[in-house]
Amino acid sequence: MDKRDAQIKILAQAVYELRLLLSDHLGSSNKEMLCETVSAHIAYALHNEALAIIEGRSEDFDVYKAIENIKRVDELYGQQIAGRFEAFLDETKT
């Protein structure tokens, strides 16, 4: 495994671990814990893609589906996070 693959797998493992740690915050309506709730939903939205990377199934990682999942989190909680992820797609077009 080269350095770049290891970096990607480490980040994917982090997303997966965050999803597990934050699972108690899924669906919460506690405004005092909005940060944790949004974080939980983003981690949940990406955990299948993270698992695909960890397991060496990068072909199962659909970047457009992942961004759509993040957009749903934005809609649920009035956030504007998906645009920061979409910027990476713009970079691949140049």
Side-chain angles (χ1 to χ4, degrees), residues 12-68:
Q13 186 68 45
V15 168
Y16 198 80
E17 294 296 329
L18 288 169
R19 182 260 187 234
L20 297 174
L21 292 167
L22 291 167
S23 62
D24 289 345
H25 295 282
L26 287 170
S28 175
S29 59
N30 183 344
K31 294 188 189 286
E32 291 179 12
M33 301 193 79
L34 182 63
C35 182
E36 290 87 346
T37 300
V38 172
S39 298
H41 281 272
I42 290 172
Y44 187 80
L46 297 175
H47 81 278
N48 285 328
E49 285 72 20
L51 190 58
I53 294 297
I54 293 165
E55 293 177 346
R57 299 179 292 106
S58 60
E59 67 279 359
D60 292 341
F61 188 138
D62 183 336
V63 295
Y64 297 101
K65 179 182 171 199
I67 290 173
E68 287 304 313

Side-chain angles (χ1 to χ4, degrees), residues 72-92:
R72 283 197 282 285
V73 175
D74 282 352
E75 291 169 8
L76 282 172
Y77 295 99
Q79 302 294 306
Q80 296 179 356
I81 298 168
R84 296 193 290 270
F85 288 85
E86 286 178 312
F88 295 118
L89 296 179
D90 294 338
E91 289 177 13
T92 62

